Structures are given as C-alpha cells and as structure tokens.
Amino acid sequence: MDVICRCAFGMDTDMQNDIDNAFLRKSQLTVDQNPEQLFLIKLGNLMPFLIPVLTYIITGQALLLHLFRKVAPTWFSPQIEELARFWILKRVESVINTRMSSKSNERQNRVDLLQLMIDASTHDDIKDDVNDESMESKKLHYDEVVTTRSDIQDKLRAEIDEQEWNDENQLDYDLVMNMMYMDLVVREVLRMYPIIITSISRECNTSTTVCGYQIEKGSIIQPDILAVHYDPDLWGPEDPNLFLPERHHVKRHPMAYMPFCIGPRNCVGMRFALMELKMCLTQLLRHYTILPGENIEEGFKHRETLAIQPDAIYVKLEKR
C-alpha cells in the first residue's frame, strides 16, 4: 500500500508504522466483502443477459446512498459511514485537482503514475486516423482517470545469489527483471493461484463457431480463469495440478494464461505489480529460507462446483 500510494499518487502514507491509517482502513473495507457472494452478482452469473440492468441497480444503490449522505450529512453521518470507494475517489480527485491547478514546471517535476495519466489525458475525443469515424480517443479520458517445493526455492535462491549486486548490496531493477527462473516461478504461481478467477464479461458482436460450438451475436462470454489455467489440453502433457515452473518454457495458446486478464483492457498495473513482486521476493530470499508450516496448504485448496446456466452447463473451479 505504501509503494502504490507513493508511486501511483505521490503520497507518503507510512502504513507500515501507522496501522490506523485512513487509506489502509478504507481500502480494506472495499475488499472485505466478496462481491461474488452478493445476490445480484450471483443472479448476473446465472442469467448474463440481466447484467446491464443489474449493474445499473447496484451502481444506483451506491450513488443514491452517497447522494443522501451528501445532501443531509448531519443526519446520515452518525447513521451511515461514507462508502469506502467514494471516500478514496474523493481523495484521488482532490489530488488530481491540485495537480491540474499547479504550475506546469511543478507538474513536470513529479514522476508518478497519476502524473503520467494526467499528461496523457484530454477532455476531447480525437480520431485514431484520418479514415476513422468512430471518434475513439487515443488518449485517456479524464472520466477513466511462495512454494512448498524446497528444490525450486533453492534453485531460485541460487539464481539470485549468482547476480552481481552493487557495492551497497541494493536491488538492481535490470538484474531482478532479467532473472529467467524468477520469471518462470512467478508465472507458475499466478497460473495456479491467479488474483481473480473470473474475467470481465464481453458481448459477442458477430455470430461465430468456436471449437464446434455456435455462439450467437449478443451472447455474453465470461471466461473462467481457473478452468483455463488448469486445462490439461492447454497446459499438458504434465499434470496442471503440479507446480512446475519449467512448463512456461513451452509456447502456449495466447489466451491460455490470463492472471491479469488479457487484451487491450487488461490490468493497467500489470508491469508494476510484477516488478514489485519480483523485487520483494528477491529481497526476501536473499536473507531468508522459507520453510513449510503445519497450515501451509490452508487457503490454497481448489474444488469443483457445477454451475447450470440457460442452455449450458459449466464446471467452475473455485479457490477455497
């Protein structure tokens, strides 16, 4: 959280020493509730054609509560705490407004993700080329603004120890990002335990046939990431349930690996997250050896559930 706030928004938060930090508490509130367990979300998964309507309902509820609290803060403040996501957005908006009102040379002295996005953003739409009539903008719009295998750990530590660190023994970005076995290990971890297990749904805009299945125009498509990551046809011939970093030496189908989703709208922080993860893992293994404990497997079990949807039956893997 400290790294993200500093590198993304230029904020010094020091949450490592301040466990009551407001950003930390609000961020925790946004992830405390599993949205997959909400009734409306379950209804959308069961009947995808209702997703547009359900999205308006969920968004409307949140906005209505936010509006009531804003209109009558005296009455609502003791009753209902401001929704965490609106609290965070309000702070980010304040930072953006401060940046936009500051002098040009002051903005140029800042180097963080937020400033890069501000510099690349615009209020106006521009054409991608002279023949493009869609008016899609090339720029951002302001409104958008660990393992139980000791042999693998030993091999990873050996790669780390082989690097030529500087005199201060500090981490070097290029050395960390160019460690091949480190990359394989991280990829295998994210294949077996991706951060999200369902990709964002998409609407099919042209009737087509995929692997013998007819998909009609207007159908809602939502990949099950765990099912894809554990598909033996995509990740064989070795058992996909085994942790084998070397399997990533083999070129796979471009859609077989999607821990950060995939395509032009994949995770905007993917490179930053991978860099942060590799730097942290490198620093950890340079000084410590991780040993398995009694509860090492807790929270890392998978189970299959049967999801029945209109005209189709899907086997879905869930993290437990």
Side-chain angles (χ1 to χ4, degrees):
M1 287 294 297
D2 284 335
V3 172
I4 290 174
C5 286
R6 180 66 183 88
C7 296
F9 305 112
M11 300 177 181
D12 293 318
T13 51
D14 193 25
M15 297 181 195
Q16 300 297 314
N17 299 309
D18 181 14
I19 61 175
D20 293 324
N21 183 277
F23 273 96
L24 183 61
R25 289 190 294 104
K26 295 296 184 179
S27 297
Q28 182 174 349
L29 287 174
T30 63
V31 297
D32 271 348
Q33 187 178 42
N34 182 4
E36 292 292 329
Q37 300 302 318
L38 297 177
F39 171 75
L40 293 181
I41 300 297
K42 290 183 176 180
L43 186 60
N45 291 334
L46 182 64
M47 293 179 283
F49 60 87
L50 290 179
I51 289 179
V53 177
L54 297 176
T55 300
Y56 282 118
I57 294 175
I58 295 174
T59 305
Q61 289 177 338
L63 290 175
L64 193 61
L65 178 61
H66 179 65
L67 178 62
F68 282 164
R69 192 180 184 283
K70 189 174 183 179
V71 172
T74 305
W75 190 87
F76 272 90
S77 293
Q79 309 295 329
I80 303 175
E81 186 177 0
E82 183 177 15
L83 291 177
R85 68 186 63 186
F86 287 113
W87 187 94
I88 294 174
L89 287 175
K90 188 183 297 182
R91 269 61 189 179
V92 174
E93 182 180 1
S94 175
V95 174
I96 293 175
N97 291 337
T98 301
R99 296 281 184 93
M100 296 302 297
S101 61
S102 61
K103 296 179 180 179
S104 176
N105 60 335
E106 294 177 356
R107 293 200 301 267
Q108 291 175 358
N109 291 332
R110 294 185 177 274
V111 182
D112 53 46
L113 179 61
L114 179 61
Q115 191 59 52
L116 294 175
M117 294 176 71
I118 291 176
D119 293 340
S121 61
T122 179
H123 284 293
D124 303 320
D125 290 331
I126 60 174
K127 294 183 179 180
D128 283 346
D129 56 67
V130 293
N131 298 319
D132 184 9
E133 297 181 358
S134 65
M135 297 299 288
E136 291 290 339
S137 175
K138 286 183 179 179
K139 295 188 175 183
L140 294 169
H141 197 275
Y142 281 123
D143 294 337
E144 296 176 324
V145 157
V146 260
T147 176
T148 58
R149 295 276 302 278
S150 60
D151 57 326
I152 293 178
Q153 184 178 168
D154 292 341
K155 189 174 180 179
L156 181 57
R157 184 181 292 104
E159 182 183 54
I160 294 173
D161 293 340
E162 289 173 357
Q163 307 304 314
E164 297 182 0
W165 306 105
N166 57 33
D167 295 337
E168 290 78 22
N169 209 28
Q170 295 180 347
L171 294 182
D172 182 276
Y173 172 84
D174 291 327
L175 289 180
V176 172
M177 297 306 290
N178 288 325
M179 287 193 287
M180 298 302 297
Y181 196 68
M182 168 74 76
D183 187 65
L184 297 179
V185 170
V186 169
R187 283 175 173 269
E188 183 69 346
V189 170
L190 292 176
R191 179 191 70 83
M192 296 188 69
Y193 306 104
I195 307 302
I196 58 173
I197 60 175
T198 54
S199 181
I200 297 175
S201 60
R202 292 288 182 262
E203 181 178 342
C204 179
N205 56 20
T206 303
S207 296
T208 186
T209 301
V210 178
C211 298
Y213 292 94
Q214 179 68 21
I215 301 178
E216 301 295 337
K217 179 180 179 180
S219 299
I220 303 298
I221 308 299
Q222 184 178 52
D224 183 348
I225 293 179
L226 277 179
V228 173
H229 283 191
Y230 281 80
D231 189 333
D233 293 333
L234 295 173
W235 291 100
E238 300 85 358
D239 185 353
N241 294 290
L242 298 178
F243 187 87
L244 296 174
E246 288 79 8
R247 76 170 77 244
H248 293 272
H249 279 308
V250 180
K251 187 176 182 179
R252 310 283 175 172
H253 189 284
M255 300 294 288
Y257 182 73
M258 51 177 78
F260 295 93
C261 289
I262 203 163
R265 296 185 182 179
N266 66 338
C267 176
V268 67
M270 178 181 68
R271 293 181 181 276
F272 182 85
L274 290 173
M275 180 268 298
E276 191 176 16
L277 174 60
K278 291 178 180 179
M279 298 282 278
C280 180
L281 191 56
T282 299
Q283 184 73 341
L284 184 66
L285 293 181
R286 287 174 68 193
H287 301 285
Y288 299 97
T289 297
I290 302 173
L291 302 176
E294 295 180 357
N295 302 319
I296 192 68
E297 297 289 339
E298 186 175 344
F300 289 90
K301 295 292 186 181
H302 293 117
R303 70 180 180 89
E304 286 188 348
T305 60
L306 191 64
I308 302 178
Q309 298 188 8
D311 302 323
I313 297 179
Y314 300 91
V315 174
K316 181 178 181 181
L317 282 171
E318 294 182 346
K319 290 194 293 186
R320 285 293 182 268

